[in-house]
Amino acid sequence: MLPMVEIPDVRTAVQSWCMRCWKVCQPGPRLDNIKNGKQGGCDHCGGKRRLPDDVARERAQAWGYIPDPDIPYTSDATKWPGRCVAKGHYCAPVLNAHKRQGPCGTCADNGFKPHRPALLYLVTKASLVAAKIGICEDSPKNRRLYEHRLNGWTTIETMRFSVGADARIVEDTIVRSWRARNRPPVLDNGYGYSGYSETVSLDEVRVSEIWSEVCAVAERIATE
């Protein structure tokens, strides 16, 4: 849950964004009820977004694995067995982990590592009037920006980090600042897609403003 207002105390219901389905919860959850397990975060999805089976399979394949055709989709927080596209390894990831890691544990050595060099990037897509911020491994073998280009995204800026953990902090800080200012992610004809939760409408903010904020956050982290 991402609060939309200042939290006065743990017993007050707080209007918030659900960071899985991105619907507004009004009046929202109480912090003490969440902590003691008496209340789920989101009134709409209970913290477990549910999609049509065919849409979930499309997103799984875009992420890098093909779910078992005989096992139906349950929710984005439920393990869903299948095979990774890269090597055909058995894997059973949850869809809501796509921001943090790859789908296949066996192939994890090729994925994003917080202690390794990383690249933070800003891309835009004209058809969606959207900007997207993201992070990936800083390596010649990394194909993230190439894959974005195939999907119609244009690379605007990149920034290198010696450790991926710092890149992730910058990405999280920027996305949280968008949501705190009531700037929702950009959907495609009402539907989410791989990486949509890190997007913002260019009707709400200019590219130059986004990158200036990225630079400011990165500079602040470097001095801490």
Side-chain angles (χ1 to χ4, degrees):
M1 304 300 297
L2 181 62
M4 300 173 67
V5 296
E6 184 177 352
I7 302 175
D9 57 68
V10 298
R11 294 184 176 86
T12 300
V14 179
Q15 183 179 13
S16 307
W17 289 97
C18 171
M19 296 181 69
R20 285 199 174 93
C21 69
W22 289 111
K23 292 182 179 179
V24 176
C25 295
Q26 176 67 39
R30 287 173 36 170
L31 183 58
D32 58 348
N33 283 343
I34 291 177
K35 292 179 68 176
N36 62 30
K38 292 182 179 179
Q39 182 179 11
C42 178
D43 297 332
H44 305 284
C45 70
K48 297 181 179 181
R49 182 177 42 168
R50 295 169 180 83
L51 304 167
D53 188 89
D54 58 339
V55 174
R57 291 183 186 278
E58 289 178 3
R59 294 188 184 180
Q61 188 162 356
W63 184 24
Y65 89 104
I66 300 175
D68 189 316
D70 296 326
I71 300 178
Y73 165 80
T74 303
S75 77
D76 74 342
T78 302
K79 289 185 177 182
W80 198 11
R83 297 279 177 178
C84 78
V85 173
K87 301 289 185 179
H89 299 132
Y90 170 82
C91 55
V94 294
L95 285 183
N96 65 17
H98 76 276
K99 290 173 57 178
R100 305 185 297 275
Q101 63 194 43
C104 179
T106 306
C107 294
D109 289 342
N110 297 323
F112 180 84
K113 295 290 184 295
H115 63 284
R116 300 289 299 276
L119 192 71
L120 181 144
Y121 57 83
L122 176 65
V123 295
T124 62
K125 191 170 185 177
S127 63
L128 296 178
V129 194
K132 169 178 167 57
I133 191 171
I135 55 177
C136 62
E137 179 187 18
D138 186 9
S139 166
K141 66 182 180 182
N142 190 278
R143 294 169 52 86
R144 183 67 58 83
L145 291 178
Y146 171 73
E147 291 168 354
H148 281 320
R149 187 162 63 249
L150 291 180
N151 288 319
W153 295 89
T154 300
T155 302
I156 304 299
E157 298 280 4
T158 60
M159 180 181 294
R160 285 185 160 84
F161 291 79
S162 58
V163 291
D166 288 343
R168 177 167 286 162
I169 291 173
V170 175
E171 179 194 42
D172 288 346
T173 301
I174 297 301
V175 173
R176 287 176 180 273
S177 74
W178 292 340
R179 308 307 176 230
R181 286 175 277 182
N182 295 335
R183 294 172 178 171
V186 179
L187 301 178
D188 187 356
N189 292 318
Y191 292 96
Y193 47 88
S194 178
Y196 83 99
S197 58
E198 296 91 38
T199 62
V200 69
S201 173
L202 289 175
D203 289 331
E204 300 283 344
V205 61
R206 293 182 297 177
V207 169
S208 59
E209 294 174 351
I210 296 173
W211 197 247
S212 293
E213 188 174 1
V214 167
C215 294
V217 175
E219 183 177 356
R220 185 172 72 245
I221 291 174
T223 58
E224 290 178 348

